[in-house]
């Protein structure tokens, strides 16, 4: 079995997740600027979630490129990842409609954490099939980003109950870590080691 | 006519079905744990339905892999399957919002039963084209899982009216039967015969 | 430019149209049979619309198979067809929620009529590129189905205002004409000529 | 990395955007012509937005056809474009439900403007990789349409506050500029220079 249909299905689900979130932006009834105010926090959380799903699609795209054969385990590990990502529209809406309150912010982090763990499991499944000397293993290296992200999520989840804005800043931080092109980061990390 | 576009269309529909269910998870208005309570049963039914659609996608993926030519009959048998699967978000929402009440649980089983029958028809259409000695015919073997599932569904539908939780347990059982990798099951069945 | 991406995009839109209709099946609040009653007419109109979109996908699939080059005109003729098909969920919901009332039934027919005309335009665009001796031209023959359908739709639209059920029967009739495999119909028509 | 999966993902997102808009056409409760009245402006804005997304898909289709390698920058420039396009259903609903009021009309233009800028960035990223002598660079020529559109959008945004209908006319004008086949326009522009 090849990976084409797995990619096509994942693309479809990710495309729907990224687009369905916009439905949480409820069309306001008024026509003045004030009527847009309740939409603003939902819009801000939409931007962050859009970037997160974009990052996942991007990384998924790269990882699957290295995969030729798909085992049953990879298939379910992939569905497991899609499951947690499919909850992003729900927590995005909850966070946005409640102006970044404590519990919604924490649950947002929990979903991101579970998605990161699911991605880690999928990655390990693929690496187990490909071996330590594979191109993917080399490309990942020490996978510092992959290991740092869950730790930051856990800190952010705890922080949510004391300072939701700190949690928000940490979620933005993780997104930035992944957005900045790899090579430069890798050089920075190498120099710091 | 080849099977590529049939697979692509089915992938699209299955991807939308699996993602649209999350829209039944209505964003709660409060921000405390109590406000999440009404979402919990919908979430549980979402998990089960997600796994079911995942199983169907997985099996569909394998079966279509063996298909080269697509007849008009296969095309409509496939649409018939997608029709019943498209009703899963509806019954999932009904079951979840009513805390696993009798009739919703029974209807959930009816939709699963009809999908299983539709899958069986599709499979037979494909086997009729491919012959008894085809790889697909051999891979299916006695197709014990495919035959046991509808029977368990029927038992569960009847059980719904007496004990909805028993019905729920049976739906989970069928999902587990399909989730556990085939080979081991086949060995178990062979040893028991 | 080849036709692959046109097919992929059309598949995506058709897959979404066919699945989005299920969102019109509002999850009822009660848990008894009576609470399903208002869903029933929506369900019936869903079945008919599902079959119609299925027929369009099926025919589109066959027609595009014969297309190698895609011109700008074909691209927009295709989008024009998708536009009218995208209105099917709206009229399906309107018909279903109003128990097949006069005006909704008529509008349902108008959308089907416009889709049929759009399909006819797309088909002619493709035939113009391919020539009278092309495989597609031969496969279509006199295209009796394609010419009869709009006429039946017009009759049904007018009938809607006097007897909505007659209109419904005519919509079902057209669906049946297309569902019955081509060859047999062609033989029947040949014998009758 | 090749451009196939980028195209497939973009196709998916665009297909969902174009279809999700139809959900803003709320099924009316009455069955007479009057009950359709509130739907009419939403329908008109739906037509315009459908054409806009169609134009973007069309142009995206052509541009990506010229792309063989996809860099990280192109990937994110593409997601940036999809982000702004994903807001079209929201502004379409807002414009339609408020009968083309001032602020909604202006915001509609802002989203179109941002999408045009995002498209321009994506195009430049691709041209930077391909060089000035590439087929794409030649096909674009002076890219008068691409440069005129943002200017017209800005005029329309300002006009919205004085005369929303003028803004609407300008949005229709831009759509027409892109709809009319390229070659003829180019000839006209050449003759006028």
């Amino acid at each position: 079995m090849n990976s084409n249909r797995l990619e096509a299905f994942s693309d479809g689900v990710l495309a729907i997740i990224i687009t369905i979130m916009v439905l949480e932006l409820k069309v306001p009834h008024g026509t003045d600027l004030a009527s847009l105010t309740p939409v603003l926090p939902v819009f801000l959380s939409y931007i962050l979630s859009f970037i997160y799903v974009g990052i996942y699609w991007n990384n998924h795209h790269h990882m699957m490129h290295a995969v030729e054969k798909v085992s049953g385990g990879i298939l379910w590990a992939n569905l497991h990842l899609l499951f947690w990502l499919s909850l992003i529209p729900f927590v995005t809406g909850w966070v946005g409609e409640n102006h970044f309150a404590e519990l919604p912010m924490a649950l947002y982090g929990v979903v991101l954490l579970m998605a990161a763990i699911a991605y880690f499991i999928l990655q390990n499944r693929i690496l187990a099939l490909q071996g330590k000397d594979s191109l993917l293993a080399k490309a990942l290296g020490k996978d510092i980003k992959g290991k740092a992200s869950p730790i930051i999520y856990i800190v952010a989840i705890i922080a949510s109950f004391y300072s939701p804005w700190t949690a928000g800043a940490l979620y933005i931080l993780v997104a930035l870590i992944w957005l900045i092109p790899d090579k430069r980061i890798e050089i920075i990390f190498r120099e710091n080691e």
Side-chain angles (χ1 to χ4, degrees), chain A:
Chain A
M1 192 196 321
N2 63 24
S3 68
N4 287 346
R5 208 182 157 186
L6 186 77
E7 287 186 48
F9 183 73
S10 306
D11 274 2
V13 172
L14 289 173
I16 299 159
I17 290 172
I18 219 169
T19 328
I20 247 175
M21 279 190 291
V22 98
L23 293 176
E24 294 297 333
L25 288 173
K26 311 281 184 212
V27 172
H29 291 293
T31 62
D32 51 352
L33 260 180
S35 67
L36 276 182
T37 316
V39 180
L40 194 71
V42 188
F43 182 61
L44 291 177
S45 60
Y46 174 58
I47 295 176
L48 185 60
S49 296
F50 192 98
I51 292 171
Y52 263 111
V53 179
I55 290 168
Y56 269 103
W57 175 71
N58 200 336
N59 291 342
H60 192 267
H61 186 34
H62 279 84
M63 187 164 65
M64 281 301 152
H65 203 68
V67 177
E68 279 170 33
K69 275 191 175 177
V70 174
S71 69
I74 289 175
L75 231 145
W76 280 104
N78 190 58
L79 276 169
H80 179 230
L81 170 63
L82 293 178
F83 174 77
W84 290 108
L85 292 178
S86 79
L87 295 176
I88 287 184
F90 173 74
V91 287
T92 302
W94 204 32
V95 155
E97 283 183 25
N98 293 291
H99 304 84
F100 316 102
E102 289 83 357
L103 194 63
M105 282 304 269
L107 199 69
Y108 191 87
V110 169
V111 168
L112 287 182
L113 177 64
M114 295 309 292
I117 291 171
Y119 191 86
F120 191 73
I121 293 171
L122 174 61
Q123 189 174 278
N124 275 18
R125 279 270 174 183
I126 293 171
L127 282 177
L129 264 186
Q130 305 227 332
K132 279 187 179 176
D133 300 321
S134 67
L135 212 74
L136 184 65
K138 280 176 193 161
L140 281 168
K142 297 191 174 172
D143 193 21
I144 294 166
K145 288 203 239 178
K147 284 167 190 157
S149 305
I151 296 168
I152 304 178
Y153 291 145
I154 292 170
V155 173
I157 293 166
I158 298 166
S160 298
F161 297 102
Y162 302 96
S163 161
W165 293 101
T166 307
L170 289 170
Y171 298 145
I172 293 168
L173 175 72
V174 176
L176 287 177
I177 289 175
W178 287 98
L179 271 177
I180 296 165
D182 260 26
K183 283 170 197 169
R184 246 175 294 167
I185 281 233
E186 274 171 19
I187 292 163
I188 293 164
F189 274 120
R190 268 182 215 150
E191 287 172 353
N192 289 340
E193 275 162 14

